[in-house]
Amino acid sequence: MLTITGLCTLFAAGTLVYILGYLFVHGATSLSWDFFTNFLLPVGESGGGMANAIVGSGKLLLLASAVRHPH
């Protein structure tokens, strides 16, 4: 027997699964090698990629790995 809490949980979880599925199906077609290797373009120009974000995340990861807690 489902309570109102169980129904609300199922509704919320179902909504999230639907949104994630929609984003995965429609967003997967936009991914390409160029998207990951090209740099950002100025505002107003179409195209560009995520190379700056990927390199920046790698730098932060290396810096965080180099600075260890002194225990």
Side-chain angles (χ1 to χ4, degrees):
M1 178 176 199
L2 285 176
T3 62
I4 190 73
T5 304
L7 288 174
C8 290
T9 302
L10 286 175
F11 178 74
T15 303
L16 289 174
V17 167
Y18 173 76
I19 291 171
L20 287 173
Y22 181 87
L23 289 173
F24 180 75
V25 169
H26 293 284
T29 60
S30 300
L31 296 178
S32 67
W33 187 250
D34 289 334
F35 177 73
F36 292 107
T37 57
N38 288 342
F39 292 103
L40 293 173
L41 295 178
V43 176
E45 292 187 29
S46 62
M50 299 300 297
N52 287 340
I54 294 170
V55 170
S57 295
K59 287 180 180 179
L60 283 174
L61 182 62
L62 286 173
L63 180 65
S65 298
V67 180
R68 298 184 342 167
H69 196 272
H71 275 194

